[in-house]
Amino acid sequence: MTTQRDSFIIRERLPYLALSGAVVFVDRLTKFLIDQRFEVGESLTLIAGFFNLTYVRNTGVAFGVFASADSPYRVVVLSGFAVAAAVVVAIYSVRSPIGQSVLQTGLALIFGGAIGNLYDRLIYGYVVDFLEFHLDAYYWPNFNVADTAISVGVALLGVEIIRDEIRSRS
Protein backbone atom coordinates (compact mmCIF):
# COMPACT_ATOMS: atom_id res chain seq x y z
CA MET A 1 0.00 0.00 0.00
CA THR A 2 1.47 3.33 -1.08
CA THR A 3 1.25 6.05 1.54
CA GLN A 4 0.99 9.77 0.85
CA ARG A 5 4.64 10.15 1.93
CA ASP A 6 5.77 7.40 -0.48
CA SER A 7 3.81 9.08 -3.27
CA PHE A 8 5.53 12.40 -2.51
CA ILE A 9 8.99 10.78 -2.52
CA ILE A 10 8.32 9.23 -5.92
CA ARG A 11 6.80 12.44 -7.34
CA GLU A 12 9.71 14.66 -6.24
CA ARG A 13 12.16 12.21 -7.80
CA LEU A 14 10.36 11.89 -11.14
CA PRO A 15 12.82 14.13 -13.01
CA TYR A 16 15.68 11.89 -11.90
CA LEU A 17 13.74 8.72 -12.73
CA ALA A 18 13.00 10.23 -16.14
CA LEU A 19 16.71 10.96 -16.64
CA SER A 20 17.59 7.35 -15.78
CA GLY A 21 14.87 6.17 -18.17
CA ALA A 22 16.17 8.45 -20.92
CA VAL A 23 19.68 7.05 -20.49
CA VAL A 24 18.35 3.49 -20.80
CA PHE A 25 16.24 4.44 -23.84
CA VAL A 26 19.06 6.21 -25.71
CA ASP A 27 21.50 3.44 -24.77
CA ARG A 28 19.17 0.70 -26.04
CA LEU A 29 18.34 2.66 -29.21
CA THR A 30 21.97 3.32 -30.13
CA LYS A 31 23.00 -0.27 -29.42
CA PHE A 32 20.08 -1.55 -31.51
CA LEU A 33 21.03 0.71 -34.42
CA ILE A 34 24.68 -0.37 -34.25
CA ASP A 35 23.68 -4.05 -34.08
CA GLN A 36 21.35 -3.65 -37.08
CA ARG A 37 23.72 -1.65 -39.27
CA PHE A 38 27.19 -2.98 -38.43
CA GLU A 39 28.87 -6.36 -38.36
CA VAL A 40 30.99 -7.12 -35.29
CA GLY A 41 34.37 -5.47 -35.84
CA GLU A 42 33.08 -3.18 -38.59
CA SER A 43 34.17 0.43 -38.27
CA LEU A 44 33.08 3.76 -39.72
CA THR A 45 35.44 6.72 -39.47
CA LEU A 46 33.59 9.89 -38.49
CA ILE A 47 36.56 12.13 -37.66
CA ALA A 48 39.79 10.86 -39.19
CA GLY A 49 42.51 10.24 -36.62
CA PHE A 50 40.10 10.85 -33.71
CA PHE A 51 36.64 9.19 -33.72
CA ASN A 52 35.12 6.03 -35.20
CA LEU A 53 32.01 3.98 -34.71
CA THR A 54 33.32 0.45 -34.25
CA TYR A 55 31.06 -2.41 -33.18
CA VAL A 56 32.59 -4.63 -30.49
CA ARG A 57 31.07 -7.07 -28.03
CA ASN A 58 32.49 -6.50 -24.57
CA THR A 59 32.32 -9.57 -22.34
CA GLY A 60 34.11 -7.74 -19.50
CA VAL A 61 33.18 -4.63 -17.57
CA ALA A 62 33.79 -0.99 -18.44
CA PHE A 63 36.40 -0.50 -21.14
CA GLY A 64 36.90 -4.25 -21.56
CA VAL A 65 38.32 -4.93 -18.09
CA PHE A 66 38.00 -8.69 -17.30
CA ALA A 67 37.04 -9.45 -20.92
CA SER A 68 39.77 -12.08 -21.08
CA ALA A 69 38.60 -13.84 -17.89
CA ASP A 70 37.31 -17.20 -19.05
CA SER A 71 34.68 -18.53 -16.68
CA PRO A 72 31.17 -19.88 -17.13
CA TYR A 73 30.19 -17.68 -14.17
CA ARG A 74 31.53 -14.41 -15.61
CA VAL A 75 28.11 -13.17 -16.80
CA VAL A 76 26.49 -14.08 -13.48
CA VAL A 77 29.22 -12.44 -11.39
CA LEU A 78 29.39 -9.27 -13.50
CA SER A 79 25.59 -9.04 -13.59
CA GLY A 80 25.50 -9.47 -9.82
CA PHE A 81 27.92 -6.58 -9.40
CA ALA A 82 25.77 -4.42 -11.70
CA VAL A 83 22.60 -5.27 -9.75
CA ALA A 84 24.36 -4.54 -6.44
CA ALA A 85 25.64 -1.20 -7.78
CA ALA A 86 22.17 -0.22 -9.02
CA VAL A 87 20.62 -1.10 -5.65
CA VAL A 88 23.27 0.85 -3.73
CA VAL A 89 22.81 3.87 -6.02
CA ALA A 90 19.02 3.74 -5.66
CA ILE A 91 19.19 3.49 -1.86
CA TYR A 92 21.74 6.30 -1.64
CA SER A 93 19.57 8.47 -3.87
CA VAL A 94 16.46 7.95 -1.75
CA ARG A 95 18.39 8.61 1.47
CA SER A 96 20.05 11.77 0.12
CA PRO A 97 18.37 15.17 0.09
CA ILE A 98 16.40 15.80 -3.08
CA GLY A 99 17.69 19.38 -3.08
CA GLN A 100 21.20 18.19 -3.91
CA SER A 101 20.53 18.31 -7.64
CA VAL A 102 24.13 17.65 -8.73
CA LEU A 103 24.27 14.55 -6.53
CA GLN A 104 20.83 13.33 -7.64
CA THR A 105 21.64 13.92 -11.32
CA GLY A 106 24.90 11.98 -10.96
CA LEU A 107 23.14 9.09 -9.24
CA ALA A 108 20.40 9.06 -11.91
CA LEU A 109 23.02 8.88 -14.67
CA ILE A 110 24.88 6.06 -12.92
CA PHE A 111 21.65 4.15 -12.32
CA GLY A 112 20.49 4.49 -15.94
CA GLY A 113 23.90 3.46 -17.25
CA ALA A 114 24.08 0.46 -14.94
CA ILE A 115 20.62 -0.70 -16.07
CA GLY A 116 21.50 -0.18 -19.75
CA ASN A 117 24.61 -2.34 -19.55
CA LEU A 118 22.94 -4.87 -17.25
CA TYR A 119 20.24 -5.40 -19.88
CA ASP A 120 22.86 -6.31 -22.49
CA ARG A 121 24.74 -8.60 -20.16
CA LEU A 122 21.61 -10.49 -19.08
CA ILE A 123 20.07 -10.78 -22.56
CA TYR A 124 23.18 -11.28 -24.71
CA GLY A 125 26.00 -12.22 -22.32
CA TYR A 126 28.03 -9.22 -23.52
CA VAL A 127 27.71 -5.45 -23.77
CA VAL A 128 27.55 -3.68 -27.13
CA ASP A 129 30.26 -1.00 -27.37
CA PHE A 130 30.75 1.23 -30.38
CA LEU A 131 32.23 4.63 -29.51
CA GLU A 132 35.92 4.59 -30.34
CA PHE A 133 38.13 7.62 -29.68
CA HIS A 134 41.80 7.75 -30.53
CA LEU A 135 44.67 10.07 -31.28
CA ASP A 136 46.26 8.56 -34.35
CA ALA A 137 47.48 5.11 -33.16
CA TYR A 138 46.63 5.61 -29.45
CA TYR A 139 43.15 4.17 -28.86
CA TRP A 140 40.87 4.56 -25.87
CA PRO A 141 38.87 1.35 -25.24
CA ASN A 142 35.47 1.31 -26.95
CA PHE A 143 32.46 2.29 -24.88
CA ASN A 144 28.76 3.14 -25.22
CA VAL A 145 26.08 5.59 -24.04
CA ALA A 146 25.60 3.74 -20.73
CA ASP A 147 29.34 3.92 -19.98
CA THR A 148 29.27 7.64 -20.81
CA ALA A 149 26.36 8.22 -18.44
CA ILE A 150 28.15 6.31 -15.67
CA SER A 151 31.36 8.30 -16.22
CA VAL A 152 29.55 11.66 -16.22
CA GLY A 153 27.57 10.56 -13.14
CA VAL A 154 30.76 9.66 -11.27
CA ALA A 155 32.27 13.03 -12.27
CA LEU A 156 29.19 14.79 -10.88
CA LEU A 157 29.54 12.84 -7.63
CA GLY A 158 33.14 14.05 -7.47
CA VAL A 159 31.97 17.64 -7.96
CA GLU A 160 29.45 17.20 -5.15
CA ILE A 161 32.10 15.74 -2.82
CA ILE A 162 34.41 18.68 -3.52
CA ARG A 163 31.56 21.16 -2.99
CA ASP A 164 30.66 19.49 0.33
CA GLU A 165 34.29 19.63 1.43
CA ILE A 166 34.52 23.34 0.55
CA ARG A 167 31.25 24.05 2.40
CA SER A 168 32.40 22.16 5.50
CA ARG A 169 35.65 24.16 5.65
CA SER A 170 33.93 27.53 5.50
Side-chain angles (χ1 to χ4, degrees), residues 42 61 127 135 163:
E42 184 179 350
V61 292
V127 174
L135 290 174
R163 284 175 40 178

Side-chain angles (χ1 to χ4, degrees), residues 10 16 28 31 42 44 46 51 65 78 84 86 103-104 114-115 120 132 139 148-149 152 156 160 162 167:
I10 292 170
Y16 303 112
R28 293 295 325 128
K31 289 173 179 176
E42 184 179 350
L44 172 66
L46 297 178
F51 178 56
V65 175
L78 296 178
L103 173 70
Q104 293 294 341
I115 297 301
D120 277 16
E132 181 180 70
Y139 284 77
T148 303
V152 171
L156 289 175
E160 190 62 27
I162 291 167
R167 277 186 230 132

Side-chain angles (χ1 to χ4, degrees), residues 46-128:
L46 297 178
I47 302 173
F50 183 69
F51 178 56
N52 305 326
L53 294 180
T54 302
Y55 181 11
V56 297
R57 292 179 175 171
N58 179 0
T59 56
V61 292
F63 309 115
V65 175
F66 299 128
S68 61
D70 191 24
S71 169
Y73 303 109
R74 179 179 52 212
V75 170
V76 173
V77 170
L78 296 178
S79 296
F81 282 132
V83 168
V87 168
V88 167
V89 166
I91 290 169
Y92 188 61
S93 175
V94 170
R95 291 186 174 183
S96 298
I98 194 68
Q100 290 182 298
S101 59
V102 173
L103 173 70
Q104 293 294 341
T105 300
L107 293 171
L109 289 169
I110 293 168
F111 186 79
I115 297 301
N117 281 339
L118 178 62
Y119 178 91
D120 277 16
R121 195 167 309 287
L122 291 175
I123 300 301
Y124 308 118
Y126 57 84
V127 174
V128 172

